[in-house]
Amino acid sequence: MLVAGFPAGSFQTNCYVVAPAAGEECVVIDPGQDAVEDLDALLREHRLKPVAVLLTHGHIDHVWSVAPVCGARDVPAWIHPEDRDLLSDPAKGFPPQAGQVFGGLKLSEPDDVRELADGAVLSLAGLELTVEHRPGHTRGSVTFRTPFEDSQVLFAGDLLFAGSIGRTDLPGGDHAAILRSLAKTLTLPDETTVLPGHGPQTTIGRERATNPFLRDVAPHAGPTRGL
């Protein structure tokens, strides 16, 4: 399996492409701010043809480029229904005073939007991706999990980072909910590769052993990484 990515825009949001191999169909995960040019270059490099865009949640730093990416290739976007309204109204993901920053930004839904369901298995581009609803960072946050080599890879969005967890102080955030979501995610095998929405990759085992926010999966002061 081919997994490649890059940090997009001023938010440095990780955008990923996933395919069975070079020269085949692929899915795109979380095309954020100004992602189009770098994504096009990555697709050319590996000779990939996108068949869908998958969104871990609706915050603007993860969905900024979804409409142009889907529109240029006539492919659907997949998002959890709890976050769908953020595609066309990103200010809803911020407090009123912060939302004014994006007041002049015009975003729209792609022509084809499909809704993700907890436990669904998406068969796309020759891949099997399991959808898991993991609210807390937003109401509609999800992760995508797929077999990889002798283990599996988890596209974690802003649920779990190397050494941190997602913030819960924005509208739709819920610290108790994210702790429950993290507890479910920590049942995955130690060798599971975690590809987060920001920062470097990690593993479930490494985070279980060293992440200070996961000690006993109990409430802690919330971190600030990720929008």
Side-chain angles (χ1 to χ4, degrees):
M1 188 171 73
L2 185 155
V3 180
F6 59 92
S10 58
F11 302 103
Q12 293 291 278
T13 302
N14 291 328
C15 175
Y16 298 104
V17 295
V18 192
E24 299 194 24
E25 293 182 335
C26 72
V27 297
V28 177
I29 299 177
D30 289 353
Q33 182 187 23
D34 301 331
V36 172
E37 184 175 341
D38 286 341
L39 176 59
D40 286 346
L42 193 62
L43 296 173
R44 287 193 301 271
E45 177 186 353
H46 297 289
R47 309 183 314 282
L48 299 174
K49 178 185 177 183
V51 298
V53 174
L54 308 183
L55 302 170
T56 60
H57 63 288
H59 279 161
I60 191 170
D61 59 324
H62 290 251
V63 308
W64 192 301
S65 298
V66 63
V69 170
C70 290
R73 295 169 176 83
D74 193 25
V75 301
W78 292 78
I79 192 167
H80 192 276
E82 291 278 2
D83 276 14
R84 181 168 178 170
D85 59 341
L86 297 178
L87 288 176
S88 56
D89 191 359
K92 287 184 177 179
F94 298 90
Q97 62 275 21
Q100 294 173 6
V101 175
F102 303 106
L105 180 65
K106 301 296 183 183
L107 294 185
S108 61
E109 283 195 356
D111 291 335
D112 186 354
V113 178
R114 305 181 188 184
E115 295 186 346
L116 298 166
D118 184 37
V121 178
L122 303 179
S123 297
L124 298 167
L127 305 166
E128 298 286 321
L129 297 117
T130 300
V131 180
E132 287 156 335
H133 186 210
R134 295 293 183 256
H137 180 62
T138 66
R139 294 184 185 92
S141 290
V142 302
T143 61
F144 302 104
R145 182 164 48 86
T146 192
F148 183 62
E149 296 179 348
D150 295 328
S151 181
Q152 56 190 338
V153 60
L154 180 75
F155 297 91
D158 286 1
L159 171 68
L160 177 64
F161 305 111
S164 191
I165 63 174
R167 65 189 296 174
T168 57
D169 59 333
L170 297 173
D174 184 324
H175 196 62
I178 205 171
L179 294 177
R180 292 191 295 269
S181 293
L182 287 161
K184 294 176 181 177
T185 299
L186 289 179
T187 63
L188 295 173
D190 281 356
E191 61 270 19
T192 302
T193 298
V194 178
L195 297 180
H198 303 266
Q201 72 178 52
T202 184
T203 65
I204 289 292
R206 184 180 304 139
E207 296 314 302
R208 187 186 292 111
T210 65
N211 191 320
F213 299 101
L214 299 180
R215 290 173 186 161
D216 302 320
V217 195
H220 297 280
T224 58
R225 171 174 274 177
L227 286 179

